[in-house]
Amino acid sequence: LMPMPILLSHQLGARLAKLRHEKVLPWLQPDGKSQVTIEYDEKDKPVRVDTIVISTQHSPDVSNETIVKEVTEQVINPLIPAHLRGGDITIHINPTGRFVVGGPVGDCGLTGRKII
């Protein structure tokens, strides 16, 4: 009974971790976030994935183009079920830019309090 957006978001995060541990994408680092938006019909049944957002920490030597390409091919495409692929899916990968510094160091300011 897990809501579809949460289920898919958890699966995307788990896939990122798996590919990092198996060194399939050796530039992946441990910090990451994912969000999935689902479109529903009038009977509250999931119809399609509308938007996917993935932010993943990465090594400083990898290009944004490589990150987008490989996350799309290796993480998103294998997980989104065919019956939820109708229409155009909006995909944002690291939409705020480079994500080299992660974890507590990246999330806290001078006071050490979380800023996100």
Side-chain angles (χ1 to χ4, degrees):
L1 298 176
M2 181 72 71
M4 179 72 72
I6 295 171
L7 176 68
L8 290 174
S9 184
H10 286 180
Q11 289 176 346
L12 290 169
R15 179 101 175 132
L16 282 170
K18 179 179 190 243
L19 294 175
R20 179 174 60 87
H21 289 294
E22 293 177 355
K23 300 194 183 334
V24 173
L25 301 177
W27 47 263
L28 280 175
Q29 299 294 311
D31 200 351
K33 304 148 190 64
S34 61
Q35 175 182 318
V36 178
T37 304
I38 300 287
E39 182 181 321
Y40 294 88
D41 66 11
E42 60 278 347
K43 296 178 185 173
D44 293 331
K45 285 195 63 146
V47 181
R48 70 179 200 90
V49 171
D50 180 72
T51 307
I52 297 172
V53 181
I54 294 180
S55 293
T56 184
Q57 185 185 6
H58 55 83
S59 301
D61 57 339
V62 66
S63 70
N64 288 342
E65 293 78 20
T66 299
I67 295 168
V68 170
K69 179 181 181 293
E70 292 188 359
V71 168
T72 301
E73 291 174 358
Q74 300 280 335
V75 180
I76 296 172
N77 289 345
L79 285 177
I80 303 304
H83 72 280
L84 294 177
R85 290 181 175 267
D88 290 329
I89 300 174
T90 302
I91 297 175
H92 301 285
I93 298 172
N94 286 7
T96 59
R98 306 285 291 165
F99 187 4
V100 175
V101 178
V105 172
D107 289 338
C108 63
L110 180 62
T111 62
R113 293 173 51 193
K114 204 166 168 86
I115 59 172
I116 59 170

